């Protein structure tokens, strides 16, 4: 499969199944679309009408170059991975990561929160007791096989509402690492309201990553992320986030925002965060039912595509200057990255990644918490709903027809099971708006790679 | 090549034999946790 597109002045040709990426000049770009379905004479005849000033010799050069790429397996390659990947997904798996919901409570009242002010469809606030968290870490150690590195996310609600338990769980984790030949990588997600010097010092010592929730411009942030009493949280959190980001040398953190129908000009929010000095930025589309006022729909796509293009062009402009920054959804590793098995076999939710509620229930991921039909077990008795786990294990690119035919499949892994479930009622469905935006982001990310490499050349 | 520039990329078909150890991290399309997107993941 070949995907051809133009972005920011580059003619990009992605050979999907080999992973090869090429930048074509205008003549070659027009020819590649004709190459597979026409013979040489027809191609030359059509090209002459499109490019009357181009000589026969030059057309011959282009034809030859395309042929060389095909010969070397870097163009028009085919997907030969399906059977192997499906076999791979049947392998025994271990638990690699847990999301600990240490607080089903929040001190903000964000309008788009899938956790419903942190309560996750519950009626009252709940904090995870230390004993439940300790049992969760023991469960992870016992079910992680010979794996050394284990990921644990402190999540909510707002985790800082249960800060002492977070610290105690980190201490417990560190105390048992050596005995079990494990290493915990801890992450904290916070809205910043309770962030202070003591929290920052601990976070910088113990947390591999920190996610700081902020949506961008003050008016955008305060409209969607107010306190329960109604006033905005921007002025309180920005100085603290800047201090924390600087104290981590602008590394191993993200400022993470959500854009909605209320700020479809979200590139301005990304650039606002960049101009505040943040270097690690993620601003992501809201996922909400179509009848929500702030939801993004298929009708919004052209406007959102333009916004991603605008952002990518600005990032290309800032490349190699002190105003450069990373944007989570444009980060792609063309030279490294995982093998095809990982790329095509899904995110690991329900098998390698589980979420733990304050009472110790296990769910396939944080976006399913509170949905009783999706409870998969608990930290005391392990996985009990084996049938549900098998369903998640079977989630891969080939379990969705749309994915197997999509050019972005090696960079997306088949999309988000939770989004698919919430929009189609099936974890093997596809969430159309999310897919469309993912494809656009992959195009922009590859363009930025091309811009950097050609600049270096 | 005169008309085509090829970027440095990892050939996916070369990973068929070398890959599949299962040691990589989980991945996620959102930055709300430890993982990164599969497109930016390290073979770890």
């Amino acid at each position: 499969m070949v995907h051809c597109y133009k972005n920011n002045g580059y003619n990009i040709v992605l050979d999907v199944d080999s992973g090869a990426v090429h930048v074509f000049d205008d003549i070659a770009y027009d020819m590649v679309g004709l190459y597979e379905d026409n013979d040489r004479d027809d191609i030359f005849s059509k090209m002459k009408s499109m490019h009357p000033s181009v000589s026969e010799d030059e057309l011959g050069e282009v034809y030859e170059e395309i042929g060389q790429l095909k010969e070397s397996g870097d163009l028009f390659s085919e997907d030969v991975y399906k059977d192997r990947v499906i076999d791979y997904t049947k392998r025994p798996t271990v638990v690699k990561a847990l999301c600990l919901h240490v607080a089903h409570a929040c001190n903000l009242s964000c309008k788009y929160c899938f956790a419903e002010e942190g309560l996750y469809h519950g009626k009252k606030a709940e904090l995870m007791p230390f004993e439940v968290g300790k049992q969760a870490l023991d469960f992870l150690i016992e079910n992680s096989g010979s794996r050394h590195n284990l990921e644990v996310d402190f999540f909510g609600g707002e985790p800082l509402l249960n800060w002492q338990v977070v610290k105690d769980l980190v201490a417990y984790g560190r105390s048992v690492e050596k005995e079990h030949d494990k290493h915990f990588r801890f992450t904290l997600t916070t809205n910043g309201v309770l962030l202070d010097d003591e929290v920052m010092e601990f976070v910088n010592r113990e947390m591999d990553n920190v996610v700081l929730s902020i949506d961008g411009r003050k008016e955008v942030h305060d409209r969607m992320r107010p306190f329960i009493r109604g006033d905005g949280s921007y002025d309180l959190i920005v100085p603290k986030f800047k201090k924390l980001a600087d104290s981590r040398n602008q590394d191993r953190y993200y400022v993470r925002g959500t854009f909605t129908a209320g700020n479809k000009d979200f590139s301005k929010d990304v650039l606002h965060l960049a101009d505040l000095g943040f270097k690690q930025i993620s601003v992501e589309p809201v996922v909400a039912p179509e009848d929500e006022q702030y939801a993004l729909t298929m009708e919004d796509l052209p406007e959102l595509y333009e916004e991603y293009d605008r952002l990518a062009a600005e990032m290309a402009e800032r490349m190699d200057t002190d105003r450069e920054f990373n944007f989570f959804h444009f980060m792609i590793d063309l030279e490294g990255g995982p093998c095809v098995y990982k790329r095509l076999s899904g995110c690991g939710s329900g098998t390698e990644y589980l979420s733990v509620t304050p009472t110790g229930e296990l769910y396939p991921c944080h976006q399913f918490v509170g949905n009783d039909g999706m409870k998969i077990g608990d930290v005391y008795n392990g996985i009990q709903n084996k049938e549900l786990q098998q369903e998640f294990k079977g989630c891969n690119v080939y379990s969705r027809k749309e994915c197997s035919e999509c050019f972005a499949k090696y960079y997306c892994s088949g999309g988000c099971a939770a989004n698919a479930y919430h929009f189609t009622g099936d974890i093997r469905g596809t969430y159309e708006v999310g897919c469309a935006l993912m494809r656009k982001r992959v195009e922009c990310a590859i363009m930025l790679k091309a811009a950097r490499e050609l600049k270096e050349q | 090549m005169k008309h085509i520039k090829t970027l440095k990329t990892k050939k996916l078909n070369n990973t068929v034999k070398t890959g599949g150890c299962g040691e990589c991290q989980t991945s996620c399309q959102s930055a709300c946790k430890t993982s990164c997107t599969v497109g930016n993941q390290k073979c770890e």
Side-chain angles (χ1 to χ4, degrees):
Chain A
M1 189 195 315
V2 169
H3 178 64
C4 306
Y5 66 98
K6 293 172 181 275
N7 190 298
N8 199 29
Y10 297 94
N11 300 324
I12 294 178
V13 176
L14 167 65
D15 188 57
V16 175
D17 297 302
S18 72
V21 178
H22 315 284
V23 180
F24 280 39
D25 69 11
D26 289 339
I27 305 166
Y29 189 80
D30 286 339
M31 190 183 285
V32 75
L34 302 169
Y35 193 88
E36 285 290 83
D37 299 325
N38 296 275
D39 64 24
R40 191 177 191 277
D41 291 343
D42 283 344
I43 291 171
F44 278 43
S45 163
K46 288 173 180 171
M47 287 297 292
K48 280 174 186 165
S49 63
M50 294 161 77
H51 298 275
S53 63
V54 176
S55 70
E56 181 99 10
D57 283 352
E58 193 161 18
L59 289 177
E61 281 176 2
V62 176
Y63 187 82
E64 190 70 26
E65 289 184 16
I66 291 174
Q68 283 174 28
L69 289 178
K70 182 177 179 180
E71 186 68 25
S72 63
D74 293 317
L75 200 58
F76 305 117
S77 62
E78 293 184 359
D79 182 345
V80 293
Y81 315 121
K82 182 175 179 178
D83 291 343
R84 290 168 183 265
V85 168
I86 288 172
D87 282 347
Y88 173 75
T89 59
K90 293 173 182 165
R91 78 200 187 288
T93 53
V94 297
V95 184
K96 300 175 175 180
L98 286 183
C99 179
L100 296 187
H101 292 230
V102 290
H104 276 188
C106 194
N107 39 18
L108 290 184
S109 183
C110 304
K111 293 177 181 171
Y112 46 57
C113 184
F114 67 83
E116 297 180 330
E117 296 179 17
L119 299 178
Y120 286 89
H121 317 294
K123 299 288 183 246
K124 60 182 175 54
E126 285 182 302
L127 300 180
M128 178 182 282
F130 171 74
E131 284 305 320
V132 171
K134 176 175 176 290
Q135 181 63 35
L137 295 183
D138 290 342
F139 166 84
L140 178 56
I141 290 169
E142 286 164 23
N143 289 276
S144 57
S146 61
R147 186 176 180 76
H148 180 66
N149 288 324
L150 303 176
E151 276 79 39
V152 175
D153 306 326
F154 293 107
F155 202 67
E158 172 51 42
L160 295 187
L161 289 171
N162 200 9
W163 180 233
Q164 188 58 50
V165 165
V166 171
K167 289 192 292 185
D168 292 347
L169 288 173
V170 170
Y172 174 70
R174 296 287 180 236
S175 75
V176 295
E177 283 179 326
K178 195 172 178 185
E179 172 192 351
H180 296 284
D181 187 25
K182 304 290 183 188
H183 172 64
F184 286 104
R185 291 167 168 166
F186 294 111
T187 292
L188 175 74
T189 295
T190 178
N191 61 29
V193 172
L194 296 176
L195 194 59
D196 60 21
D197 287 349
E198 185 259 334
V199 173
M200 288 190 208
E201 189 276 327
F202 184 87
V203 159
N204 287 342
R205 193 174 69 241
E206 296 289 1
M207 301 287 171
D208 272 61
N209 194 24
V210 194
V211 181
L212 309 169
S213 301
I214 177 172
D215 282 352
R217 291 165 290 179
K218 176 177 163 61
E219 64 273 21
V220 169
H221 178 93
D222 282 347
R223 185 171 63 232
M224 295 307 280
R225 301 182 64 82
F227 284 98
I228 293 163
R229 59 183 181 258
D231 51 331
S233 53
Y234 179 96
D235 289 336
L236 175 69
I237 63 168
V238 165
K240 297 196 278 191
F241 283 178
K242 289 171 78 168
K243 184 175 179 180
L244 181 57
D246 283 339
S247 72
R248 294 174 77 82
N249 297 317
Q250 291 294 334
D251 194 20
R252 301 189 307 133
Y253 80 94
Y254 271 100
V255 284
R256 195 272 190 203
T258 299
F259 71 83
T260 71
N263 61 319
K264 285 183 274 188
D265 58 350
F266 65 89
S267 71
K268 290 177 181 165
D269 294 292
V270 177
L271 297 176
H272 174 77
L273 293 169
D275 293 339
L276 283 174
F278 295 112
K279 296 295 185 189
Q280 313 297 340
I281 301 171
S282 189
V283 176
E284 307 176 14
V286 73
V287 178
E290 282 198 348
D291 56 358
E292 284 285 4
Q293 191 185 357
Y294 54 78
L296 298 168
T297 66
M298 295 297 279
E299 286 69 45
D300 295 322
L301 290 179
E303 203 174 336
L304 300 177
Y305 291 164
E306 280 183 25
E307 242 359 70
Y308 276 124
D309 282 341
R310 197 169 289 136
L311 177 61
E314 176 64 21
M315 289 181 70
E317 196 68 32
R318 294 185 181 207
M319 211 172 267
D320 296 331
T321 73
D322 59 3
R323 299 171 72 223
E324 186 174 25
F325 62 91
N326 288 322
F327 182 62
F328 181 78
H329 276 152
F330 287 173
M331 292 172 75
I332 200 166
D333 186 355
L334 297 179
E335 293 182 68
C339 60
V340 286
Y341 301 99
K342 171 59 191 169
R343 286 172 185 270
L344 297 170
S345 61
C347 66
S349 61
T351 54
E352 299 175 333
Y353 171 85
L354 298 166
S355 273
V356 186
T357 69
T359 53
E361 295 173 322
L362 292 170
Y363 285 85
C365 98
H366 54 286
Q367 299 232 35
F368 289 108
V369 167
N371 180 331
D372 288 341
M374 283 291 171
K375 184 184 163 188
I376 203 166
D378 63 63
V379 294
Y380 299 99
N381 301 295
I383 301 294
Q384 292 159 306
N385 192 341
K386 304 272 189 195
E387 198 177 328
L388 181 60
Q389 187 172 51
Q390 283 305 311
E391 275 189 56
F392 276 88
K393 204 170 179 179
C395 270
N396 60 67
V397 159
Y398 301 109
S399 63
R400 303 175 177 98
K401 185 172 185 294
E402 298 92 333
C403 295
S404 61
E405 296 169 354
C406 175
F407 77 83
K409 60 186 172 183
Y410 297 99
Y411 310 99
C412 159
S413 209
C416 172
N419 289 350
Y421 179 78
H422 291 129
F423 275 83
T424 68
D426 182 357
I427 60 172
R428 298 187 192 196
T430 52
Y431 165 46
E432 279 185 284
V433 173
C435 291
L437 294 177
M438 173 56 117
R439 286 192 287 269
K440 183 66 190 174
R441 294 191 299 253
V442 168
E443 288 186 346
C444 290
I446 290 174
M447 181 282 287
L448 284 168
K449 283 290 184 188
R452 184 177 294 281
E453 192 166 325
L454 296 183
K455 190 176 180 182
E456 286 167 359
Q457 285 177 10
Chain B
M1 288 192 181
K2 188 175 158 191
H3 299 273
I4 301 170
K5 298 211 180 306
T6 296
L7 305 189
K8 286 176 270 187
T9 57
K10 181 176 190 169
K11 286 195 86 161
L12 296 181
N13 35 6
N14 287 348
T15 70
V16 171
K17 283 185 180 171
T18 58
C21 71
E23 293 287 1
C24 45
Q25 287 185 48
T26 57
S27 55
C28 187
Q29 293 188 354
S30 171
C32 60
K33 51 198 207 65
T34 313
S35 309
C36 54
T37 60
V38 75
N40 193 44
Q41 194 166 10
K42 302 298 169 217
C43 174
E44 176 210 30

